[in-house]
Amino acid sequence: MVYLILVIVVILLFLSCCRVVPQNNEGLIETLGKYSRTVKAGLVFVIPVIQRLRRVSLAMFPAEISKYSIITKDNAEITTSLTLNYLVTDSYKYFYNNTDSVKSMVELIRGHLRDIIGRMDLNDALGSTSKINSQLADAIGDLTDLYGIRVVRVNIDELLPSVEIQKAMDKQLTADREKIAAIEKAEGEAKNIELTTKAKNEALIATAKAKAEAVKTEADAEAYRINQLQASLDKASDGYFRNQSLDSFNKLASGPSNLIVVDKDDMTNLGAVPATAKIWQKSTDKKE
């Protein structure tokens, strides 16, 4: 019975000396309340009552910094919120150098963000989220090492102006859009007038060119006719012109006029004119 009790006591003492540090954790062993050493994941032996094991997770943690107000360089109030991921890089600093390293890290990030945005105008801040993220990551990179923490990623989820500023910005945006729309409408109308005027001018020019071409064509045709006629007349004999003269005399004699003017060279041909013959006959009858 005594042996059994001793075996049980030894087993209990052994078990009380055994501690397990989980995967992706580190263990801080304290001896009589004072830091002794850091151990890795696995089975760890400690002295009961005298020593104590504290576990620190090395896994990545997400964190959210709730909305808070920041004043810009031009005294505009904006509200921002952030999300970040961090992990413990030095379990000793994380546990012993600060009573709440995570809270200290959050306050540090807030302070640097206020400083960055406080040096920017409202419009610059609202349009430079990526730039602010980069500057903030550079600013807090070395300082958080004091707490044994490394910020892996920090991101500004939103930057919102106050309600009054948002209303003013909406009004300004509406006015700008209306102005742009009015300018575009005026430019469109001016362009339409320009194109219409150009089309009318081109039509007038085309019509004038067509008329000029028609007149030129008609003149060319008339000139060709006259040239052809002149060429034919140049080739005609004297008999042709005499015949034309006699034919003209005949036509005049057949008309109502009693006066005919002829060339002296054609006096011998008067007998061929009917009107002359009649006048001659009447003169002869009176004499008789």
Side-chain angles (χ1 to χ4, degrees):
M1 179 59 88
V2 176
Y3 291 112
L4 180 60
I5 294 173
L6 290 174
V7 171
I8 293 173
V9 171
V10 170
I11 292 174
L12 291 175
L13 287 174
F14 177 79
L15 293 175
S16 65
C17 294
C18 296
R19 298 288 187 275
V20 176
V21 178
Q23 178 68 31
N24 207 22
N25 282 255
E26 282 185 347
L28 301 175
I29 297 178
E30 298 175 349
T31 302
L32 296 176
K34 183 179 179 180
Y35 168 77
S36 176
R37 69 181 188 277
T38 300
V39 294
K40 302 298 182 182
L43 182 63
V44 179
F45 294 97
V46 297
I47 301 173
V49 182
I50 297 176
Q51 292 183 328
R52 180 181 179 181
L53 176 66
R54 297 184 182 274
R55 299 179 181 85
V56 178
S57 176
L58 303 180
M60 187 176 297
F61 291 94
E64 180 178 353
I65 302 178
S66 58
K67 295 181 179 180
Y68 65 101
S69 298
I70 299 176
I71 304 299
T72 62
K73 182 180 179 180
D74 50 353
N75 295 321
E77 181 181 358
I78 59 175
T79 302
T80 183
S81 61
L82 301 89
T83 55
L84 56 92
N85 292 334
Y86 71 93
L87 53 82
V88 176
T89 56
D90 190 320
S91 55
Y92 178 87
K93 292 181 180 179
Y94 174 77
F95 195 83
Y96 293 110
N97 286 4
N98 201 301
T99 56
D100 194 334
S101 294
V102 175
K103 184 177 181 180
S104 298
M105 174 192 66
V106 170
E107 293 300 326
L108 176 68
I109 293 174
R110 283 184 173 182
H112 278 286
L113 186 58
R114 284 193 182 96
D115 179 63
I116 293 171
I117 295 180
R119 290 184 276 109
M120 304 175 70
D121 293 332
L122 176 62
N123 291 334
D124 293 336
L126 295 178
S128 306
T129 305
S130 299
K131 179 180 178 180
I132 295 173
N133 284 335
S134 177
Q135 292 181 2
L136 184 59
D138 294 338
I140 65 177
D142 297 332
L143 295 176
T144 54
D145 185 62
L146 296 174
Y147 312 129
I149 295 174
R150 181 166 65 89
V151 177
V152 178
R153 184 188 66 86
V154 60
N155 183 68
I156 298 176
D157 293 332
E158 60 181 16
L159 283 174
L160 298 176
S162 63
V163 177
E164 292 76 12
I165 295 177
Q166 185 65 53
K167 290 180 180 179
M169 292 176 65
D170 291 341
K171 289 181 180 179
Q172 181 64 39
L173 182 61
T174 301
D176 291 342
R177 288 177 177 174
E178 291 176 351
K179 179 180 178 181
I180 293 173
I183 293 174
E184 290 179 350
K185 182 179 179 181
E187 289 178 349
E189 292 176 351
K191 188 67 175 179
N192 183 48
I193 293 173
E194 178 185 353
L195 293 176
T196 302
T197 304
K198 182 179 180 181
K200 289 181 178 179
N201 292 337
E202 290 178 351
L204 291 174
I205 293 171
T207 302
K209 286 182 178 179
K211 289 182 179 179
E213 189 67 25
V215 171
K216 182 178 182 298
T217 302
E218 185 178 355
D220 291 343
E222 181 65 16
Y224 178 77
R225 187 186 69 79
I226 293 172
N227 290 334
Q228 291 296 107
L229 180 60
Q230 185 65 42
S232 298
L233 292 175
D234 291 341
K235 294 178 182 179
S237 63
D238 294 338
Y240 170 78
F241 292 105
R242 290 193 184 95
N243 290 333
Q244 290 295 315
S245 298
L246 291 175
D247 185 59
S248 298
F249 294 154
N250 289 330
K251 289 180 179 179
L252 290 172
S254 299
S257 176
N258 292 325
L259 178 63
I260 301 174
V261 180
V262 297
D263 187 74
K264 65 180 182 177
D265 295 334
D266 293 327
M267 292 294 292
T268 57
N269 296 322
L270 290 175
V273 181
T276 306
K278 288 182 179 180
I279 295 171
W280 182 263
Q281 183 65 38
K282 286 181 179 181
S283 300
T284 304
D285 291 340
K286 287 182 180 181
K287 288 179 180 181
E288 288 176 357

